Amino acid sequence: MNSHAQGEQQVVWTVVASDIGPLLLAATDEGLVHVVFHATEPVRDRTLDRLASRLGTTPVEAPDAPQLAEAIRQFEAYFAGRRREFALPLDWSLISGFNRQVLRELASGVPYGSVVGYGDLARRVGQPGAAQAVGVAMGSNPLPVVVPCHRVVESDGGIGGFGGGLETKRKLLALEGVLPEPLF
């Protein structure tokens, strides 16, 4: 019997190629719920196990699922330089509290081609002095690229950290015109 028909949440996923390596995209009926960098088989397997545990249902590989179709199109357009912002329904269920507040501000208030400091983002959410907590929020972002944690940098001009790796952050910032393209 189809458990989705009984009212349980369905989670569908696929892996798409990108300029920064394979990305795992997962969605629920609410919207895109997770984006994972470097989606090799071991990373994919760990991610799917975590999603099953957190969301209470086994994710189903479904590259043609309607819940993923628009996300796939928008990611392709973004990496081709034809899209500057994502317009997707998002499922925020993997993040809550301060982290969700920070990520929502980041998603709505830091446009393509710009950056913000960790401290500046903390002030925007009414928590001056919480720059380190903003860094934690960036590290827990379940929707990177769409919720652009790559646009958060150190106030002294440093690139800062990044869960997808610094080379990935540099490539995303170069794509958006913030950094020059790497020479090699």
Side-chain angles (χ1 to χ4, degrees):
M1 180 162 225
N2 181 339
S3 63
H4 183 60
Q6 296 174 347
E8 285 185 23
Q9 175 170 251
Q10 182 184 33
V11 180
V12 293
W13 66 275
T14 192
V15 173
V16 296
S18 79
D19 292 354
I20 56 171
L23 297 172
L24 184 144
L25 306 180
T28 66
D29 290 337
E30 294 291 315
L32 191 66
V33 71
H34 207 15
V35 176
V36 179
F37 295 115
H38 316 298
T40 60
E41 191 170 333
V43 169
R44 182 197 71 206
D45 292 346
R46 282 193 306 274
T47 298
L48 296 174
D49 287 345
R50 272 195 320 270
L51 280 173
S53 173
R54 295 277 312 273
L55 298 175
T57 188
T58 302
V60 175
E61 185 173 14
D64 297 325
Q67 300 96 315
L68 292 169
E70 186 59 24
I72 292 167
R73 278 192 292 278
Q74 289 189 28
F75 269 90
E76 288 171 353
Y78 172 81
F79 284 108
R82 296 187 317 268
R83 175 169 282 280
R84 291 179 164 244
E85 68 182 50
F86 290 87
L88 296 168
L90 301 178
D91 179 336
W92 292 91
S93 63
L94 294 177
I95 196 102
S96 62
F98 176 79
N99 292 355
R100 183 188 287 191
Q101 182 184 10
V102 168
L103 293 173
R104 283 183 180 261
E105 172 60 30
L106 175 63
S108 66
V110 183
Y112 183 98
S114 65
V115 294
V116 66
Y118 293 94
D120 292 334
L121 195 51
R123 280 188 286 286
R124 288 186 188 193
V125 297
Q127 298 291 325
Q132 204 166 12
V134 167
V136 171
M138 296 306 103
S140 65
N141 181 4
L143 296 161
V145 183
V146 176
V147 178
C149 52
H150 60 279
R151 296 180 190 153
V152 183
V153 298
E154 295 173 348
S155 60
D156 65 3
I159 195 167
F162 194 62
L166 292 182
E167 185 58 29
T168 300
K169 186 172 188 173
R170 283 186 189 99
K171 286 180 178 180
L172 290 168
L173 291 172
L175 172 73
E176 295 187 8
V178 175
L179 291 176
E181 287 286 343
L183 295 176
F184 45 87

